[in-house]
Amino acid sequence: MALQIPRKLLTLLEAAAKDGASDLFLNVGRVPARRIHGTLETLAASEVEAEALDQLAAAALGVRGFQDVGETGDADVGLSLPGGQRFRLNLSRQKGHLAIVARVVPS
């Protein structure tokens, strides 16, 4: 069974690629932000939940890789979405929670 990316995060990733963002910043308890042409902008979205980031990480890394992040505190991995958008994810633990920076890989 494939792990699913939460709909809210999938929408944010797709929009980042479509809108020309270079990076999408996802931190627990904070509103998502993205960098477009060097300018950091917060998005009109609700705060990111820990469970959603954990699900995104598990979908990108697989169960074993997700467990490894819990032990090492960080990971880098590629992610391809069904629509063909590609990302390089940097995952790290901050204040006990997962944080993810998704860099858009141009197609």
Side-chain angles (χ1 to χ4, degrees), residues 13-60:
L13 289 163
E14 291 170 339
K18 177 181 167 269
D19 296 343
S22 60
D23 301 289
L24 177 66
F25 301 90
L26 303 168
N27 295 290
V28 172
R30 300 191 67 185
V31 174
R34 63 186 181 180
R35 185 179 315 278
I36 297 182
H37 304 295
T39 302
L40 191 62
E41 60 181 44
T42 56
L43 300 174
S46 58
E47 295 177 351
V48 177
E49 297 175 357
E51 183 179 349
L53 281 189
D54 288 348
Q55 289 173 354
L56 173 57

Side-chain angles (χ1 to χ4, degrees), residues 1 17 43 77 85 105:
M1 177 176 96
L43 300 174
V77 66
Q85 304 93 338
V105 177

